[in-house]
Amino acid sequence: MIIVLKDRITDEEVKNVKNYIIKTGARIHESEGTEKKILGIIGDKRDLDQMALEAFPGVEKVIRILEPYKLTSRKFHPKSTIVEVKDARVGDLEPVLMAGPCSVETEEQITDIAREMSGKGVKILRGGVFKPRSSPYSFQGMGETGAKWISAAAKQYNMSVVSEVMEISDIDVLYDYIDIFQIGARNMQNFKLLKAIGKTNKPVFLKRGISATLNEFLMSAEYILSEGNEQVILCERGIRTFVQYTRNTFDLNIVPMIKNVSHLPIVIDPSHATGRTDLIIPITLGGLAAGADGVMVEVHPKPYEAFSDGNQSLNYAQMNDLLNAWGIIRESVLKLRQQKFEEIEKNVSNYTR
Ligand code: PEP
Ligand code: MN
């Protein structure tokens, strides 16, 4: 439920409305529209009477929200969220590039990739050190040693680091080495991990589960926001379908759909979405044209020697090709983004009318 307050509501009137809500045990999420104040109500609302709320002095209208997600909903929070990571702004006009190996392998490997990627304008370096592998016999990641290497490499080239945590104890291990915590597809519904990450003060990169619906995806983000951490970046990384020629199926629909229903930024991961190097460029372009706020791509100097996911990693020359292709459509995409931003801005100010 959302309560839109009148322009000239007094402090006393606000207090009365809030007290009424708090008495039912529900939580209040306050949000300033451009003109008016909005109270979002979260929790069990069985005791809340819409008619009674509308009768309070100072209340303009009460809107029922049917979606189960609240804090992640654009209705609760009409303005788009921009997640700041050093000088990168995920969710702002310019889509953000994130690149790096699937796994951090050696100090030389990650330092070389950091140098190459920073030279190409990539601001966020990815690299897993705790690896969720489908087989227990596959490379499991370098752990804290790898975290030290990626942190040093990023520092040397003035980049930020995103790396995955697989369990709660990984949070403390990685905390000082990374700038963004990644929650992988397999852990999207690890609710204890989501709650723990929600208590931290670093941005979170939440990947969509392989068979997660839009509601499930946003409810997982809701877990993080409801613990107080609002810096969540969503990631579409492909879902499991009957299609067998690619590792997963990239769900392009979800990119504009998320923009419609949520204020959180959404980034695409064409590497995991396709599992094929040759599809990374077209899928990146499609996703960015559809409104994605950034792209995360796997890159390796010698993909054929990679410890993991070499078959979906670009080499440096292919990364150049991707950037060139992006350069061809960039101006047009930025124009479309600007239009969309203005539309949202208009909705924000119309919202409370
Ligand atoms: C990864 O980013 O390397 C990864 C394991 O991704 P996902 O959780 O999407 O499979
Ligand atoms: Mn990978």
Side-chain angles (χ1 to χ4, degrees):
M1 210 181 264
I2 294 174
I3 302 172
V4 181
L5 302 176
K6 285 185 179 153
D7 292 345
R8 281 183 290 277
I9 188 168
T10 66
D11 289 350
E12 187 63 24
E13 286 168 342
V14 176
K15 214 169 84 193
N16 289 341
V17 178
K18 282 188 178 174
N19 283 344
Y20 174 78
I21 299 163
I22 290 164
K23 255 193 244 149
T24 68
R27 270 166 66 186
I28 302 172
H29 177 262
E30 288 187 50
S31 164
E32 293 286 341
T34 5
E35 290 157 19
K36 288 186 184 126
K37 204 184 186 85
I38 300 161
L39 300 181
I41 305 179
I42 304 150
D44 192 343
K45 302 175 292 286
R46 273 171 301 189
D47 293 337
L48 273 173
D49 182 339
Q50 183 168 354
M51 302 263 274
L53 276 166
E54 272 166 347
F56 270 88
V59 170
E60 183 159 304
K61 61 182 167 190
V62 177
I63 305 165
R64 277 203 174 272
I65 305 289
L66 297 174
E67 294 84 6
Y69 47 87
K70 313 287 177 199
L71 296 173
T72 50
S73 161
R74 203 180 268 289
K75 288 183 182 151
F76 258 57
H77 188 294
K79 264 192 194 155
S80 296
T81 287
I82 295 173
V83 177
E84 287 186 53
V85 194
K86 293 193 185 144
D87 57 345
R89 291 169 58 82
V90 188
D92 211 345
L93 195 63
E94 183 76 42
V96 172
L97 301 171
M98 309 180 183
C102 178
S103 303
V104 175
E105 299 168 359
T106 63
E107 192 169 12
E108 295 69 39
Q109 173 240 23
I110 194 65
T111 310
D112 195 68
I113 295 174
R115 191 193 62 244
E116 286 285 329
M117 293 305 111
S118 71
K120 297 183 200 306
V122 174
K123 294 193 170 150
I124 301 177
L125 182 64
R126 67 146 284 146
V129 299
F130 296 118
K131 294 304 301 177
R133 305 306 302 280
S134 301
S135 164
Y137 310 118
S138 301
F139 176 62
Q140 301 286 307
M142 291 305 297
E144 187 169 0
T145 308
K148 283 183 188 158
W149 294 337
I150 193 170
S151 165
K155 225 171 246 143
Q156 192 176 341
Y157 295 102
N158 198 25
M159 299 172 89
S160 305
V161 175
V162 53
S163 195
E164 176 165 356
V165 283
M166 282 171 55
E167 54 183 329
I168 294 174
S169 59
D170 294 344
I171 297 174
D172 281 345
V173 178
L174 287 196
Y175 192 87
D176 291 330
Y177 301 117
I178 58 102
D179 304 282
I180 307 172
F181 287 118
Q182 176 169 321
I183 305 254
R186 294 158 188 81
N187 268 316
M188 189 207 80
Q189 285 192 317
N190 181 338
F191 302 116
K192 285 190 175 167
L193 182 60
L194 296 174
K195 280 189 183 182
I197 215 82
K199 292 191 173 78
T200 69
N201 58 359
K202 290 201 192 232
V204 182
F205 191 79
L206 178 66
K207 298 187 98 177
R208 182 182 183 187
I210 61 167
S211 63
T213 64
L214 178 128
N215 274 8
E216 287 165 346
F217 192 17
L218 288 176
M219 288 310 279
S220 289
E222 189 85 10
Y223 263 93
I224 302 170
L225 269 74
S226 70
E227 293 295 333
N229 188 345
E230 297 185 350
Q231 308 170 79
V232 175
I233 302 163
L234 302 169
C235 175
E236 163 58 25
R237 47 77 73 205
I239 47 171
R240 181 68 57 84
T241 68
F242 60 83
V243 164
Q244 291 185 340
Y245 64 93
T246 49
R247 182 178 178 184
N248 291 296
T249 297
F250 178 60
D251 178 12
L252 180 60
N253 297 0
I254 206 165
V255 173
M257 193 64 200
I258 286 278
K259 291 272 141 203
N260 287 344
V261 300
S262 176
H263 55 91
L264 295 175
I266 179 152
V267 164
I268 52 165
D269 169 354
S271 289
H272 292 89
T274 64
R276 294 180 60 115
T277 303
D278 58 343
L279 297 188
I280 292 178
I281 294 178
I283 295 306
T284 299
L285 300 182
L288 290 173
D293 297 299
V295 54
M296 170 187 268
V297 63
E298 289 185 332
V299 175
H300 197 284
K302 293 179 182 165
Y304 51 87
E305 285 182 0
F307 290 8
S308 58
D309 286 350
N311 49 340
Q312 58 182 45
S313 301
L314 301 180
N315 61 29
Y316 298 156
Q318 290 164 330
M319 183 66 183
N320 281 341
D321 293 343
L322 182 145
L323 293 173
N324 288 337
W326 166 229
I328 293 171
I329 65 163
R330 182 175 161 274
E331 282 299 320
S332 308
V333 170
L334 290 189
K335 257 188 220 154
L336 285 170
R337 286 178 73 77
Q338 184 60 41
Q339 271 177 20
K340 187 81 197 163
F341 277 44
E342 284 164 16
E343 210 177 284
I344 290 170
E345 196 52 47
K346 220 164 41 207
N347 285 342
V348 171
S349 52
N350 282 341
Y351 182 70
T352 50
R353 286 219 181 97

